[in-house]
Amino acid sequence: MSAPLYAVFGNPVAHSRSPLIHQMFARQEGTAIRYERILAEPGAFGQAAADFFAAGGQGANVTVPFKTDACHWADSLSERARAAGAVNTLIKQADGRITGDNTDGAGLLRDITANLQVALAGKRLLLLGAGGAARGVMLPLQQAGPASLTVANRTAGKAQELAEAFGAQACPLADLPAGGFDVVINATSGGLSGELPAIAPAVLSACELAYDMVYAAEPTAFLRFAEQAGARRGADGLGMLVEQAAESYYLWRGFRPDTAPVLAAMRANP
Ligand code: ATR
């Protein structure tokens, strides 16, 4: 019998590091898997996913821009996928039905609390951004029991809407209080091109952790800004990437990978 088949769907997808990560997990499990990159055309995700599972696929990751499509396409959803309005993990059940889950928030939480050893309970959290990436982590952030969760975004109305949906609070970027937050998470997509949300450096002056959900070989623009603003520590999203993958792998195979050596290997080869 051939090795079980998994894949990541995206567009673009050639850069995805998921195959590398999942093959490292499989080696830990002492098993062989196939893990492919599948480039789907915009509007054609459902057909591509149906073809993949009909051909024997066991599970899949879904990345930009198909997480919302996957949410509509799956036969059923986990609570966290429904809350996120997005699916990053598809799982084929024994009866052939496909469930959609979202491990992004769990991955972020695990990276912050287990890898970086920063507790979120009782802390003042600031989430920058109100798009898909921000929505995807709202439920787990609320469940971590922070003293407060504030959402701020360039388009203030979107922050207001997102905060209301999750019982959090919104604040205009220009009104964020100096020294007002213990943990600041950047979930805006502007960072990829070096653009930052317009916040005053003093907002980060009491910050124990500045976390950028994107990652790059060099410190991101947000992490450089945070360091200059006096944040005690900074972290990029590579740990989140590995942790969300580990959670997907566990959902598929019931085996929980040890993420530390995988994260170290990824850091060594950015
Ligand atoms: P994603 O799925 O990555 O979250 P998205 O849903 O398009 O992508 O959301 C992008 C987020 O990054 C939004 O919060 C966006 O702010 P707006 O709602 O005002 O558009 C934010 N963003 C993108 N570019 C930005 C920039 N240059 N400065 C500040 N915020 C930016």
Side-chain angles (χ1 to χ4, degrees):
M1 241 179 75
S2 55
L5 176 63
Y6 302 91
V8 55
F9 289 85
N11 189 336
V13 77
H15 67 286
S16 172
R17 306 188 79 186
S18 293
L20 181 68
I21 295 171
H22 284 284
Q23 290 297 354
M24 287 194 259
F25 292 164
R27 274 202 292 284
Q28 283 185 14
E29 193 192 351
T31 193
I33 64 166
R34 289 173 290 159
Y35 191 107
E36 299 175 348
R37 295 183 181 93
I38 298 180
L39 178 72
E41 293 309 318
F45 169 78
Q47 191 57 54
D51 291 348
F52 170 76
F53 284 106
Q58 292 297 304
N61 287 126
V62 181
T63 188
V64 177
F66 298 123
K67 291 184 184 184
T68 312
D69 291 355
C71 194
H72 294 128
W73 182 79
D75 294 316
S76 60
L77 297 175
S78 67
E79 184 201 359
R80 56 193 185 179
R82 200 170 300 120
V87 157
N88 79 333
T89 307
L90 292 166
I91 308 135
K92 188 176 195 172
Q93 304 297 341
D95 64 2
R97 290 169 62 82
I98 311 295
T99 37
D101 204 336
N102 192 313
T103 65
D104 285 331
L108 172 69
L109 265 282
R110 209 173 152 76
D111 193 35
I112 292 178
T113 58
N115 297 342
L116 299 167
Q117 295 275 303
V118 173
L120 294 179
K123 301 284 174 62
R124 300 164 301 168
L125 310 189
L126 171 62
L127 183 64
L128 297 170
R135 173 171 290 270
V137 300
M138 284 296 286
L139 181 69
L141 286 177
Q142 276 296 48
Q143 288 174 339
S148 60
L149 173 58
T150 304
V151 185
N153 188 47
R154 178 175 61 182
T155 309
K158 277 170 66 183
Q160 190 71 41
E161 234 171 76
L162 185 61
E164 269 169 27
F166 289 89
Q169 58 207 66
C171 181
L173 287 171
D175 297 345
L176 290 167
F181 302 98
D182 304 306
V183 175
V184 179
I185 299 166
N186 182 30
T188 67
S189 57
L192 292 169
S193 50
E195 291 175 57
L196 293 176
I199 59 172
V203 172
L204 293 166
S205 61
C207 177
E208 80 181 85
L209 175 67
Y211 193 101
D212 201 340
M213 282 171 51
V214 301
Y215 64 89
E218 302 297 322
T220 64
F222 173 70
L223 292 180
R224 291 197 305 273
F225 174 79
E227 188 184 5
Q228 279 167 15
R232 288 212 291 283
R233 286 173 78 187
D236 70 13
L238 190 62
M240 176 179 174
L241 175 76
V242 173
E243 293 296 342
Q244 63 79 29
E247 184 75 12
S248 295
Y249 195 93
Y250 175 72
L251 291 170
W252 295 330
R253 304 194 52 79
F255 173 85
R256 199 171 276 290
D258 177 6
T259 50
V262 176
L263 188 48
M266 302 282 292
R267 286 257 178 253
N269 289 297

